[in-house]
């Protein structure tokens, strides 16, 4: 819609925002009218109309099989559009149109904002299945007429009340029509069923909806008065009413077709099962985070025990082996600590990489500086855990074997996300400016434990590739190429 409005019309950003607000709400008008809606806006030169949005009803057959968005119609071809735009009134005159042997009643509703008519809604009703309307259908049609008059007057939609139609109740979920005093005039079968599950034993018609709702809800002190007012439809609001075994979502829509409030519509639906599942998910998320927190604590305990054991060993090689084990356990603990703070099994790995780099730098025999460039991005837990160990081993190897004792140097970790949306990859380079590799070094056959761990994790668990070679100028370069999720 943005492109069509800016390309073909003279409307400004504030007018466009009003049209967006209207389109976010007009499923309600379409369903109440049993009609298709097409929004036509006059072009910049005033000689044509362009259709910028379309809505089909969920409550009846469509009048348009084709998509009308983007169509251009010369002014004069549809006189009802011209009359609604020029005169600023709802136009219903004229005989039904025939489209593919289907009679269609056409009406035009001017869209007004701050006294200006921005465009016209063409309301098209399929008359092929017309029959004597029921009480429910008459209530729908009367409510649609009231809303259409509010659009004509610029009183609907409500400014600052943009609604998420996917989350809000719809007409078919349940509808209650109130008079100006909040007394129920009509309640659809779905609405009655929802209130019966809430605990209502009698019929709703003739009762004050706000008071009846407050009596069914658990006592909340001062909140009850607010609930009475909201359920009476005095303002456009949404709320939820939770009974003993039921949760009802309410949306109130004041009706002011001629500027004076004549009543309200209350849309509602039973969201008991939805809220139960949400609570289960919250409970599961909390349990998972608690598990990660406990794993992190246990790993830290193991690391502390290994550290104590290392202090008691007289053998230098044995002490160094235990210290390496402490760092490996610590790298895994960092991942679990991060996961314990998240709502899903994904982590921002940049923070983990920085902490691993700082942890390993503590063992530097000289004044070696570590830094990170690029971004690892968000990684799944099954990738983050082995990758943290790989990074620990590679950095530890570079700091222990890449520099002589007391020597100054730099170790740089760079990360680049690349590949396609289906096959995203993470390219990691760890490069130092130390003494470099021995002449006969082979990364695929080197037998020390650290490199064996790296090869096993990268090639076996992560499904990537590992290479270790002399850096272009000086030192050593480690290259890791790992498949990852496409999410950044």
């Amino acid at each position: 819609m943005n492109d069509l409005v800016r390309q073909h019309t003279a409307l400004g950003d504030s007018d466009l925002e009003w049209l967006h607000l209207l389109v976010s709400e007009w499923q309600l008008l379409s369903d109440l009218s049993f009609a298709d809606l097409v929004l036509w806006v006059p072009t910049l030169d005033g000689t044509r109309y362009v259709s910028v949005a379309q809505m089909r009803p969920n409550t009846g057959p469509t009048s348009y099989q084709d998509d009308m968005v983007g169509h251009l119609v010369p002014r004069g071809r549809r006189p009802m559009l011209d009359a609604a735009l020029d005169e600023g009134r709802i136009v219903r005159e004229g005989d039904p149109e025939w489209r593919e042997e289907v009679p269609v009643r056409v009406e035009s509703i001017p869209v007004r904002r701050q006294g200006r008519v921005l465009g016209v809604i063409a309301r098209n009703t399929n008359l092929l299945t017309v029959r004597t309307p029921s009480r429910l259908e008459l209530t729908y049609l009367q409510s649609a007429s009231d809303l259409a008059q509010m659009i004509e007057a610029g009183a609907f939609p409500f400014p600052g009340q943009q609604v998420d139609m996917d989350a809000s109740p719809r007409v078919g979920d349940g509808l209650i029509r109130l008079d100006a005093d909040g007394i129920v005039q009509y309640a659809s079968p779905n609405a009655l069923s929802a209130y019966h599950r809430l605990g209502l034993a009698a019929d709703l018609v003739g009762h004050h909806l706000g008071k009846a709702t407050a009596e069914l809800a658990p006592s909340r002190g001062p909140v009850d008065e607010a609930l009475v007012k909201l359920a009476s439809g005095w303002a456009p609001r949404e709320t939820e009413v939770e009974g003993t075994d039921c949760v009802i979502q309410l949306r109130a829509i004041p009706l002011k077709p001629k500027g004076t409030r004549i009543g309200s519509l209350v849309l509602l639906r039973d969201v008991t099962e939805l809220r139960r599942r949400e609570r289960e998910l919250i409970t599961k998320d909390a349990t998972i985070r608690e598990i990660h927190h406990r794993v992190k604590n246990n790993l830290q305990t193991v690391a502390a025990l290994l550290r104590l054991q290392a202090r008691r060993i007289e053998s230098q090689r044995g002490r160094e082996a235990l210290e390496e084990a402490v760092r490996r356990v610590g790298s895994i603990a960092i991942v679990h600590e991060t996961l314990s703070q998240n709502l899903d099994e994904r982590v921002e790995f940049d923070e983990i990489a920085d902490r691993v780099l700082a942890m390993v730098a503590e063992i530097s025999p000289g004044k070696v500086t570590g830094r990170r460039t690029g971004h690892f991005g968000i990684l799944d837990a099954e990738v983050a855990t082995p990758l943290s160990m790989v990074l620990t081993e590679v950095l530890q190897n570079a700091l222990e074997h890449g520099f002589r004792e007391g020597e100054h140097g730099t170790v740089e970790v760079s990360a680049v996300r690349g590949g396609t949306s289906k096959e995203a990859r993470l390219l990691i380079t760890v490069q130092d400016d130390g003494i470099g590799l021995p002449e006969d070094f082979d990364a695929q056959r080197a037998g020390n434990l650290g490199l064996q761990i790296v090869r096993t994790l990268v090639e076996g668990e992560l499904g990537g590739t590992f290479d270790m070679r002399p850096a272009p100028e000086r030192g050593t370069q480690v290259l890791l190429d790992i498949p990852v999720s496409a999410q950044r």
Side-chain angles (χ1 to χ4, degrees):
M1 185 166 72
N2 288 351
D3 293 340
L4 289 171
V5 169
R6 288 170 178 154
Q7 179 181 355
H8 294 284
T9 78
L11 299 182
D13 290 342
S14 58
D15 294 331
L16 179 57
E17 184 62 30
W18 182 261
L19 295 184
H20 275 292
L21 191 61
L22 172 66
V23 168
S24 72
E25 292 271 30
W26 70 344
Q27 180 73 65
L28 175 63
L29 177 62
S30 178
D31 290 345
L32 290 172
S33 303
F34 308 98
D36 291 72
L37 306 178
V38 179
L39 177 57
W40 297 93
V41 179
T43 57
L44 184 61
D45 58 9
T47 62
R48 296 180 296 177
Y49 298 95
V50 59
S51 59
V52 298
Q54 178 179 0
M55 179 58 66
R56 293 184 173 90
N58 293 318
T59 52
T62 183
S63 302
Y64 285 111
Q65 298 299 324
D66 299 327
D67 185 9
M68 295 297 296
V69 175
H71 283 217
L72 290 165
V73 174
R75 185 177 172 88
R77 180 175 295 180
R78 299 191 177 182
M80 296 179 70
L81 291 181
D82 299 338
L85 183 68
D86 297 338
E87 301 173 23
R89 65 179 180 87
I90 298 175
V91 180
R92 296 190 176 93
E93 301 86 2
D95 297 327
E97 297 180 4
W98 288 82
R99 300 174 188 165
E100 299 180 358
E101 300 183 353
V102 175
V104 176
R105 182 176 62 244
V106 181
E107 303 168 84
S108 295
I109 305 168
V111 177
R112 193 184 306 274
R113 175 180 179 266
Q114 296 181 351
R116 296 167 45 241
V117 177
L118 307 182
V120 178
I121 295 175
R123 181 164 56 176
N124 304 267
T125 307
N126 187 324
L127 300 178
L128 194 62
T129 58
V130 170
R131 53 184 173 79
T132 303
S134 64
R135 178 75 186 281
L136 179 144
E137 291 167 333
L138 288 173
T139 303
Y140 277 19
L141 293 171
Q142 179 58 54
S143 302
S145 177
D146 294 335
L147 284 178
Q149 292 180 61
M150 291 171 65
I151 293 174
E152 175 195 11
F156 186 84
F158 303 107
Q161 293 290 327
Q162 187 162 356
V163 175
D164 181 2
M165 292 305 298
D166 292 332
S168 294
R170 298 194 176 213
V171 170
D173 296 328
L175 178 143
I176 298 175
R177 173 90 186 209
L178 308 178
D179 65 13
D181 296 322
I183 305 301
V184 177
Q185 294 180 312
Y186 175 79
S188 71
N190 284 346
L192 283 174
S193 296
Y195 264 83
H196 287 163
R197 285 191 288 273
L198 199 59
L200 180 71
D203 192 1
L204 269 175
V205 176
H207 289 77
H208 191 281
L209 184 65
K211 295 179 180 178
T213 303
E215 290 173 358
L216 294 171
S219 177
R220 299 178 184 176
V223 180
D224 287 344
E225 183 177 346
L227 180 59
V228 170
K229 191 170 183 179
L230 189 147
S232 300
W234 284 95
R237 295 287 186 273
E238 287 193 28
T239 191
E240 288 188 2
V241 180
E242 185 168 355
T244 305
D245 299 310
C246 182
V247 182
I248 303 298
Q249 184 181 16
L250 299 178
R251 182 192 175 196
I253 303 169
L255 297 175
K256 302 177 181 180
K258 298 186 182 298
T260 302
R261 181 174 171 274
I262 63 168
S264 306
L265 282 181
V266 176
L267 304 181
L268 67 152
R269 66 172 172 175
D270 186 344
V271 293
T272 307
E273 185 64 19
L274 180 63
R275 296 296 175 259
R276 183 187 67 80
R277 292 181 181 180
E278 287 179 352
R279 284 193 289 268
E280 287 182 354
L281 288 175
I282 292 173
T283 302
K284 289 179 181 178
D285 287 340
T287 301
I288 291 172
R289 289 199 299 272
E290 177 64 19
I291 289 172
H292 284 302
H293 181 70
R294 294 190 181 187
V295 169
K296 182 264 296 183
N297 288 344
N298 291 338
L299 288 172
Q300 289 179 337
T301 301
V302 171
L305 292 174
L306 291 174
R307 197 176 291 112
L308 286 173
Q309 188 66 39
R311 293 172 183 170
R312 295 175 179 270
I313 293 181
E314 296 181 359
S315 168
Q316 179 67 22
R317 293 187 61 184
R319 189 180 304 113
E320 290 176 353
L322 286 179
E323 289 174 350
E324 288 182 3
V326 168
R327 285 187 286 275
R328 287 165 185 150
V329 172
S331 67
I332 301 174
I334 291 173
V335 177
H336 282 282
E337 181 180 3
T338 305
L339 287 169
S340 70
Q341 300 169 0
N342 293 344
L343 294 177
D344 55 15
E345 291 292 289
R346 302 175 69 82
V347 296
E348 176 59 64
F349 198 80
D350 289 347
E351 179 185 351
I352 293 175
D354 291 341
R355 293 180 63 180
V356 168
L357 188 60
M359 179 182 67
V360 176
E362 295 176 359
I363 69 167
S364 172
K367 298 182 179 179
V368 179
T369 303
R371 65 169 179 260
R372 173 181 60 84
T373 60
H375 298 283
F376 288 85
I378 299 175
L379 299 178
D380 294 328
E382 57 263 28
V383 174
T385 301
L387 182 57
S388 68
M389 286 197 65
V390 168
L391 199 57
T392 300
E393 296 298 330
V394 172
L395 289 170
Q396 184 170 303
N397 188 72
L399 293 172
E400 286 187 349
H401 305 294
F403 300 91
R404 297 182 180 91
E405 186 174 352
E407 184 178 12
H408 292 255
T410 302
V411 177
E412 180 176 328
V413 178
S414 66
V416 177
R417 297 286 283 259
T420 65
S421 59
K422 293 183 179 180
E423 297 181 357
R425 305 193 72 83
L426 177 60
L427 307 177
I428 304 169
T429 304
V430 180
Q431 183 169 315
D432 64 66
D433 55 2
I435 60 178
L437 297 170
E439 293 183 2
D440 59 347
F441 181 81
D442 184 350
Q444 303 304 319
R445 296 183 179 180
N448 72 66
L449 178 60
L451 291 182
Q452 288 180 11
I453 291 174
V454 171
R455 283 198 300 270
T456 300
L457 292 177
V458 171
E459 298 173 0
E461 190 163 343
L462 294 174
T465 60
F466 160 73
D467 191 20
M468 192 173 185
R469 62 193 183 190
E473 296 182 1
R474 181 189 176 190
T476 305
Q477 188 178 70
V478 177
L479 302 175
L480 305 172
D481 185 351
I482 299 169
V484 293
S485 170
Q487 183 173 346
R488 299 282 169 166

